[in-house]
Amino acid sequence: MNSPIDATWRAFHQRSLDDPDGFWAEQARLVDWERDFDQICDASRPPFARWFVGGRINLCHNAVDRHAARRPDDAALIWVSTEVGQERVYSFAALKDEVEAMAAMLREGGVGVGDRVLIYMPMIPEAAFAMLACARIGAVHSVVFGGFASQALADRIDDAEPVMIVSADAGSRGGKVVPYKPLLDEAIRIASHQPSRVLMVDRGLSAFQPVQGRDLDYAALRARLLGTRVDCEWLPSDAISYTLYTSGTTGKPKGVQRDVGGYAVALAASMKHIYEGRAGETFFSTSDIGWVVGHSYIVYGPLIAGMATLMHEGTPVLPDAGIWWRLVERFKVTVMFSAPTAARVLKKHDIEHLKRHDLSSLRTLFLAGEPLDEPTARWIADALGKPIIDNYWQTETGWPILTLARGVAPAEAKFGSPGVPMYGYRIELLDERTGEVLTEPNQKGLLTIAGPLPPGCMQTVWRDDERFVRTYWSGVPGRQVYSTFDWALRDEDGYYFILGRSDDVINVAGHRLGSREIEECIAGHPAVAEVAVVGVADALKGQVATAFAVLKDPAGAATPEAALRLEGEILRRVDQLLGAVARPSRVRFVTLLPKTRSGKLLRRAIQAVCEHRDPGDLITLDDPSALQQIRDLVG
Ligand code: ATP
Ligand code: MG
């Protein structure tokens, strides 16, 4: 068979499915254990799985201490803020000191093993110290994206019931100071649960009044505690490392709970096999610590692999669209991780910003979080001259489900496809109505994972096993499989294509269309920068597709005539490439699309507005004016 997928990879992948115990036992050697495990996986109570049973381990030891012992002076954490114009570089030894000081502060604040610490922080080194300090003493962190409003924060405080909250006076976004303390104080006021201590990092950006008896000053404590030794707390492999919410794209966010041992092994393995990151090199993820990418690939993954992690506070376009690439050049970044939404932002700027830097250190750019449309992928691949690898996964899984494993074999990327199932995942495409497994190429179905989920994936929904089973494992008739809620197809070469979320499937007169297919087609029009397609209820056809597009140059639709002409061109394009059934009823032009704070299109909100319904929970909506534009258009 002439397959673009290398035989080395196929053998590697097959072994992970045929001999999971042997495969994962081998991966487990990538990390240090204080006590070795007795059993690889206990799946006796499906759909729950416990990995590396009997083993005792610590994430902070694996991320910090073991490297500090061998290579104390190597860079571990590089922080650059283009918001406040500051930089700091911490070696592994310095990082260990800072984490121990922070751990001592948590202990003094009464935090013990299993206690929760809520972290509400901007992108500053102290946020990473706080996460690692929790890991060190066996506390469970719950990071809430900095800048979430009071109600969202209050809900999360009540869910996590933290003993302590770590926060800062303010963040900064696009050069504007965003005070956090007033949001935090208000959240604590409306929450039922009351933390006993709030540890405040004062950046001097926004003056605040400490609450007597509750608020602690980080700088004062650090001055006293730096140099204090706090040993790592060895934890059972299945102890809880953290809880984290999903992005809330489809509704109420779910509190994902993750273990320690399985996560450590999964991340170490992914750094080696997928990202090809090596100790001593620099990894740059442009995400935020508030999201799963920030957890796995700003903080834990690179450090576990002994790499320096570059943490950037700022946007991709300030002071100009060359900033990330200057950082790649300066810090000799070898692996970079970003999101399609960022690539689309860059695409609106001069390509020379990317081209004029020496990017010779960079091997691969990975993009994840949203469908990577072909025009964007081609643009950035051309700008950088590097492989662009799409990465498909979820907060729930913690590491990639579908991608190409650069560290195992250099498979060829196909535009529009994140690639193939990663080792350990038993992927099946199912007919969601019958539960039948789809085996033919190019059949569209629900992307599912047969249990047990591999190491690193969620253990359960925080404090709600029942919701875990009901939400993820009960969607398909007759089978208990994990549903990703995404719709996909597999081509004849075994590459997968994500067609959209299963709730975003548009049903036009009985034809089921993925929102993604139509979006991809429209995004291929040279004038279009970005587009969202939703299904809108229609008395005749059941649903019709409606499109909202952002133009590269808004002048393109400045007059009604120009807009109409462009709309006609786009509709003809859909007719030609997909067929008339996929043709949207309208293509309307906006300057901004409604997105979550993590940069995902909020199609459900657009759909609700188009159908004149209540858009529901908009707590994760980034810029409300985007939804208002759509409201104004549909009347
Ligand atoms: P919620 O589950 O709360 O509705 P969410 O699904 O957006 O929010 P995340 O866990 O942040 O929360 O995102 C995972 C989802 O993002 C995937 O299920 C998929 O829909 C989408 N996604 C992630 N990566 C890709 C990718 N490379 N291509 C296409 N879609 C992707
Ligand atoms: Mg989801």
Side-chain angles (χ1 to χ4, degrees):
M1 190 175 72
N2 192 1
S3 163
I5 302 173
D6 178 282
T8 313
W9 164 255
R10 274 186 281 151
F12 183 85
H13 180 249
Q14 199 54 46
R15 174 165 178 242
S16 77
L17 301 185
D18 294 345
D19 176 22
D21 281 8
F23 180 87
W24 287 111
E26 212 170 288
Q27 307 311 317
R29 297 299 154 224
L30 294 169
V31 294
D32 286 359
W33 297 85
E34 187 249 355
R35 181 189 187 281
D36 212 355
F37 40 86
D38 311 307
Q39 190 187 359
I40 305 290
C41 180
D42 171 10
S44 59
R45 201 168 59 94
F48 300 92
R50 292 164 64 219
W51 285 94
F52 308 109
V53 184
R56 297 203 323 158
I57 188 167
N58 183 285
L59 275 171
C60 186
H61 167 84
N62 278 288
V64 182
D65 295 47
R66 63 171 179 158
H67 307 299
R70 269 171 259 157
R71 307 161 27 238
D73 301 327
D74 280 10
L77 176 63
I78 302 167
W79 176 67
V80 176
S81 172
T82 42
E83 293 288 331
V84 297
Q86 289 174 8
E87 291 186 11
R88 286 187 242 159
V89 178
Y90 297 87
S91 65
F92 276 103
L95 178 61
K96 179 167 177 286
D97 287 344
E98 297 290 348
V99 170
E100 283 184 276
M102 184 78 96
M105 294 177 213
L106 299 182
R107 283 246 172 100
E108 279 196 8
V111 177
V113 175
D115 286 340
R116 273 81 55 212
V117 174
L118 189 139
I119 300 172
Y120 181 66
M121 294 277 261
M123 285 283 284
I124 54 176
E126 290 79 3
F129 303 161
M131 291 167 72
L132 292 163
C134 287
R136 190 170 192 87
I137 63 170
V140 175
H141 59 68
S142 177
V143 181
V144 177
F145 178 68
F148 257 149
S150 300
Q151 187 59 55
L153 183 53
D155 291 346
R156 286 155 175 73
I157 292 172
D158 281 337
D159 198 36
E161 302 190 317
V163 172
M164 194 150 160
I165 294 180
V166 184
S167 190
D169 57 335
S172 178
R173 202 176 175 203
K176 276 207 291 283
V177 170
V178 184
Y180 284 8
K181 183 68 156 80
L183 298 175
L184 175 62
D185 285 342
E186 172 65 7
I188 295 174
R189 195 186 65 74
I190 54 185
S192 327
H193 173 83
Q194 296 297 300
S196 46
R197 291 277 183 267
V198 174
L199 179 60
M200 289 297 302
V201 177
D202 188 356
R203 310 176 70 191
L205 294 180
S206 170
F208 65 91
Q209 203 56 53
V211 174
Q212 288 306 317
R214 186 195 75 186
D215 294 0
L216 303 170
D217 179 47
Y218 174 77
L221 288 173
R222 179 176 178 275
R224 176 161 62 80
L225 293 169
L226 197 67
T228 310
R229 299 276 74 102
V230 177
D231 289 343
C232 289
E233 187 78 41
W234 298 106
L235 302 166
S237 177
D238 69 344
I240 307 171
S241 59
Y242 66 77
T243 69
L244 177 67
Y245 290 91
T246 59
S247 294
T249 310
T250 51
K252 195 170 152 36
K254 300 162 280 270
V256 165
Q257 173 186 315
R258 193 156 272 130
D259 73 351
V260 180
Y263 191 49
V265 173
L267 291 184
S270 71
M271 290 305 299
K272 180 174 178 199
H273 304 309
I274 299 176
Y275 299 103
E276 207 186 2
R278 301 172 195 140
E281 299 178 346
T282 305
F283 192 101
F284 178 20
S285 166
T286 70
S287 182
D288 188 284
I289 49 140
W291 315 123
V292 69
V293 177
H295 284 60
S296 292
Y297 298 113
I298 294 177
V299 179
Y300 291 113
L303 294 176
I304 285 174
M307 299 180 80
T309 182
L310 173 58
M311 184 174 182
H312 176 224
E313 180 184 45
T315 77
V317 293
L318 282 179
D320 61 59
I323 178 61
W324 283 355
W325 318 102
R326 282 201 291 285
L327 294 177
V328 169
E329 178 173 343
R330 251 186 79 201
F331 295 104
K332 302 202 167 35
V333 170
T334 56
V335 189
M336 189 166 166
F337 193 130
S338 191
T341 182
R344 285 191 282 265
V345 167
L346 291 172
K347 203 167 119 193
K348 292 178 193 155
H349 294 259
D350 187 352
I351 199 165
E352 280 307 313
H353 282 301
L354 285 74
K355 288 198 156 176
R356 76 166 67 103
H357 300 282
D358 175 6
L359 305 180
S360 52
S361 61
L362 186 66
R363 281 193 294 270
T364 316
L365 169 64
F366 293 88
L367 297 174
E370 264 215 307
L372 175 62
D373 58 283
E374 181 166 340
T376 302
R378 280 191 192 280
W379 183 86
I380 192 142
D382 174 48
L384 301 178
K386 303 285 175 178
I388 308 298
I389 304 293
D390 192 355
N391 226 229
Y392 163 85
W393 48 295
Q394 308 183 302
T395 308
E396 290 87 340
T397 64
W399 61 283
I401 305 171
L402 302 172
T403 188
L404 295 171
R406 300 293 294 175
V408 182
E412 218 175 290
K414 279 196 193 190
F415 285 112
S417 162
V420 299
M422 282 301 97
Y423 48 87
Y425 288 100
R426 296 173 191 279
I427 299 292
E428 287 175 349
L429 283 178
L430 299 184
D431 181 315
E432 73 224 86
R433 284 159 301 185
T434 63
E436 180 202 347
V437 181
L438 305 173
T439 51
E440 293 301 309
N442 301 316
Q443 286 180 296
K444 299 175 190 176
L446 190 64
L447 187 69
T448 66
I449 308 167
L453 294 175
C457 294
M458 74 190 295
Q459 292 177 298
T460 185
V461 172
W462 167 246
R463 283 186 170 161
D464 202 345
D465 284 353
E466 196 271 326
R467 186 170 175 206
F468 175 63
V469 178
R470 174 168 40 88
T471 305
Y472 295 103
W473 298 87
S474 313
V476 182
R479 293 272 315 275
Q480 193 181 51
V481 289
Y482 173 91
S483 173
T484 62
F485 300 103
D486 289 311
W487 223 43
L489 65 78
R490 179 183 54 243
D491 73 5
E492 38 298 302
D493 294 323
Y495 283 66
Y496 283 67
F497 291 78
I498 302 292
L499 303 173
R501 293 167 188 265
S502 54
D503 8 1
D504 288 338
V505 168
I506 304 172
N507 197 332
V508 185
H511 301 275
R512 293 157 67 73
L513 307 162
S515 51
R516 162 97 193 260
E517 297 169 89
I518 311 176
E519 284 169 4
E520 179 103 4
C521 173
I522 296 177
H525 188 285
V528 175
E530 210 175 347
V531 60
V533 171
V534 298
V536 178
D538 181 87
L540 217 59
K541 297 181 179 166
Q543 276 187 322
V544 291
T546 299
F548 295 91
V550 177
L551 296 176
K552 283 181 191 150
D553 176 7
T559 63
E561 297 73 36
L564 210 61
R565 200 170 334 114
L566 195 55
E567 183 177 11
E569 271 178 34
I570 292 172
L571 293 176
R572 273 194 299 283
R573 185 181 162 82
V574 176
D575 277 359
Q576 279 162 11
L577 296 179
L578 294 179
V581 57
R583 182 200 303 151
S585 61
R586 288 295 314 263
V587 181
R588 301 183 194 257
F589 303 105
V590 290
T591 57
L592 198 66
L593 290 167
K595 292 192 177 173
T596 63
R597 299 263 189 161
S598 54
K600 292 155 182 284
L601 267 179
L602 270 169
R603 293 192 194 77
R604 67 173 164 95
I606 303 177
Q607 183 187 44
V609 166
C610 290
E611 295 181 345
H612 306 283
R613 285 185 288 111
D614 173 13
D617 186 347
L618 290 178
I619 249 162
T620 56
L621 175 62
D622 188 25
D623 184 342
S625 76
L627 204 56
Q628 192 54 45
Q629 283 192 33
I630 293 176
R631 229 176 250 126
D632 294 344
L633 281 171
V634 300

